[in-house]
Amino acid sequence: KTAVLIADFSPPPGYEPEFGLHVIGYTVVAYNSGDSGGHLYLVQSGEGADDTVMTTLEETLANLVPGYSADDSRMTVVEQRPFTIRDQPVTLTISEGTKWGDERVRQGTAVFQSKEGPALLTLLEPVSRWDEAAIETFLTSIR
């Protein structure tokens, strides 16, 4: 129910809703892929966008989701590419590194204008499960 306040979309295959909440002017939804170790987060601000929106949304997500930005996380940006979400040009940032000890992961992030304000999308997958075609299908489904 909460996700539709941010955008309409079809999560990647195997992802199930984990939680949704509204707090201090933000809407947050989380999905996970169960034992596969994948996580999808969307956080939307009711405030207008400015140059610091991505940092603000990442900080909000880190404060609201335990373990989102674990101290042992070491991520490096490996690619930034143009993409379109909700008919808007965005930059999709792909990072790789380790999380949860020594697990190799890949993360895709993008900021876009959602239904009610700027939103941050974060999709985190073990490198062994990263499926470029499935992720592109998911990102294209965001309306």
Side-chain angles (χ1 to χ4, degrees), residues 1-139:
K1 293 178 183 180
T2 306
V4 299
L5 299 174
I6 299 172
D8 299 312
F9 60 90
S10 298
Y15 276 77
E16 297 294 331
E18 188 172 2
F19 68 84
L21 60 95
H22 304 284
V23 63
I24 57 171
Y26 294 92
T27 302
V28 180
V29 295
Y31 291 75
N32 72 58
S33 63
D35 293 341
S36 300
H39 298 278
L40 167 62
Y41 302 104
L42 290 157
V43 57
Q44 169 185 265
S45 171
E47 302 295 319
D50 63 23
D51 292 339
T52 64
V53 71
M54 185 159 181
T55 301
T56 302
L57 292 171
E58 284 179 330
E59 288 172 356
T60 300
L61 190 57
N63 290 333
L64 296 175
V65 179
Y68 169 73
S69 64
D71 292 337
D72 67 344
S73 175
R74 294 175 299 283
M75 302 294 284
T76 301
V77 173
V78 295
E79 180 182 4
Q80 290 188 311
R81 63 180 166 207
F83 204 83
T84 301
I85 296 178
R86 296 191 80 231
D87 298 324
Q88 306 157 39
V90 301
T91 299
L92 178 62
T93 301
I94 307 296
S95 303
E96 289 186 7
T98 58
K99 252 182 156 21
W100 310 297
D102 61 353
E103 184 169 11
R104 299 284 307 157
V105 295
R106 188 170 291 156
Q107 176 175 282
T109 59
V111 173
F112 65 96
Q113 189 65 27
S114 64
K115 289 181 178 179
E116 297 181 7
L120 170 68
L121 172 144
T122 300
L123 178 65
L124 181 72
E125 287 269 340
V127 170
S128 62
R129 285 193 21 88
W130 186 268
D131 180 341
E132 193 70 34
I135 291 166
E136 186 166 326
T137 298
F138 156 65
L139 293 172

